[in-house]
Amino acid sequence: MGGQTSRLDFEWVYTQQPHVSRRKMILKKYPEIKSLMGPDPHFKYIVSAMVLFQVVSCYYICKLSYPWVVLITYFLGGVINHSLSLAIHDISHNIVFGNKYPVANRLFGMFANLPLGVPISIAFKKYHVEHHRYLGVDGYDVDLASDWEGKFFCSVPRKLLYLFLQPLFYALRPSFVRPKPPTLLEILNYVIQIVFDVFIYYFIGVKGLVYFILGTILCMGLHPMAAHFIAEHYMFDRGYETYSYYGPWNYITFNVGYHMEHHDFPYIPGSRLPEVKRIASEFYDSLPQHKSWCSIIWKFLFHCDVSPYSRTKRNYEDIFGDRKKRNPYYNADNSMKPVLAGDSTGDTQSSNHKLL
């Protein structure tokens, strides 16, 4: 515990992500789970109420001193903003109006984005789809830390800094790892957000913008709620790459803690993921799960085997390219337990992480 981290590299694996095979197994046994897919009719009203609450709160916040603004931002406004960012996550899966109305979903995502102060909705959608399809794939899944992050944030003080800077890394990493030109909807997201921010500044004042933007930064950084960034895919049990959390934070995070269930069935709204867990409990109960998000922050900081390197990683060619034909692990069943090949904490892996 403490000191330098012991990991020198990611956990390179040669299997497909476990969610593909587990989804097939669950649907074969419980086809009724398909009925849980589709829009959540209550979702848009909940999100609209949250946006309205933030705008009204912003108006009253401007009357307070800055210490009170920061305090309320951390414990209230930022929590709601983080919840709205997770609403944007659900919206990226078209759970508001369904897959038949993608533009309507994108526009509603821009609306949910307003209190965050910075435009993220469309850009998030653009990369999040690939996070599901290419989970852990080097150069495709921008949720993975870069090699530089793994090497630099390797001690307790640096990992503490890493937690604080998480919003910055999530915002900038895609542009370096997998740059893409902005789409028309993305530009519209920027324009709408800038116009809204100018409106808040002009009619409410700078404290209103501080309430919005600072809340987004603080509660996506060093905050118990932001622990889900670490909890979801950091490898706390070797070989297991996705973890669920079933605690009380789910009530205000649209059940993002049900993360194994979400990756198994990304088009089931968060409100129905507990039902997936109930129906197919034997597929989830035996898998590692987190009991507390606060304990995740503690483990990340003080356990020497946990760092930004604590992620499973894949080479694209081994899973999606020509080399998958020569990959003996490609069809291995890792739905309920990991299939490992070598130990990446030492020097037993090849330097290029490819199957030859």
Side-chain angles (χ1 to χ4, degrees), residues 32-211:
E32 64 269 27
I33 282 181
K34 289 183 179 180
S35 66
L36 300 176
M37 300 176 184
D40 179 349
H42 307 294
F43 184 85
K44 55 183 174 290
Y45 301 114
I46 296 171
V47 172
S48 297
M50 293 168 68
V51 172
L52 178 62
F53 178 88
Q54 283 295 77
V55 173
V56 173
S57 298
C58 175
Y59 173 78
Y60 287 102
I61 280 288
C62 70
K63 305 176 188 298
L64 303 176
S65 64
Y66 272 106
W68 277 107
V69 170
V70 173
L71 193 67
I72 294 174
T73 295
Y74 188 82
F75 288 102
L76 177 63
V79 171
I80 296 174
N81 270 10
H82 196 126
S83 185
L84 281 171
S85 75
L86 294 171
I88 289 171
H89 163 261
D90 267 20
I91 294 167
S92 73
H93 292 286
N94 295 335
I95 65 99
V96 188
F97 302 107
N99 291 325
K100 292 183 179 179
Y101 305 99
V103 176
N105 284 286
R106 302 293 77 74
L107 292 174
F108 190 77
M110 296 180 203
F111 170 71
N113 195 151
L114 294 177
L116 273 66
V118 291
I120 68 167
S121 179
I122 302 302
F124 176 83
K125 160 70 175 178
K126 182 167 63 175
Y127 287 103
H128 188 66
V129 170
E130 293 186 339
H131 167 64
H132 278 268
R133 176 172 173 77
Y134 301 113
L135 181 64
V137 175
D138 187 28
Y140 287 79
D141 183 1
V142 298
D143 189 63
L144 287 166
S146 65
D147 195 55
W148 175 83
E149 292 169 60
K151 289 179 179 178
F152 183 78
F153 296 101
C154 58
S155 64
V156 173
R158 291 183 183 185
K159 287 196 283 185
L160 184 65
L161 177 64
Y162 186 70
L163 292 178
F164 185 77
L165 295 177
Q166 274 189 117
L168 185 65
F169 285 110
Y170 271 89
L172 298 180
R173 189 188 299 132
S175 299
F176 291 95
V177 175
R178 191 161 168 77
K180 297 181 180 183
T183 64
L184 289 177
L185 280 174
E186 203 169 347
I187 294 171
L188 180 62
N189 192 184
Y190 296 154
V191 172
I192 290 175
Q193 190 63 56
I194 291 171
V195 170
F196 178 77
D197 289 351
V198 170
F199 175 87
I200 293 295
Y201 176 78
Y202 185 81
F203 288 100
I204 296 180
V206 68
K207 287 181 181 177
L209 283 180
V210 169
Y211 175 70

Side-chain angles (χ1 to χ4, degrees), residues 23 26-27 30-41 93-95 98-99 261 264-269 272-273 276:
R23 181 186 307 123
I26 292 175
L27 287 177
Y30 301 109
E32 64 269 27
I33 282 181
K34 289 183 179 180
S35 66
L36 300 176
M37 300 176 184
D40 179 349
H93 292 286
N94 295 335
I95 65 99
N99 291 325
E261 294 84 350
D264 287 351
F265 301 99
Y267 293 105
I268 291 180
R272 298 174 191 152
L273 291 177
V276 174

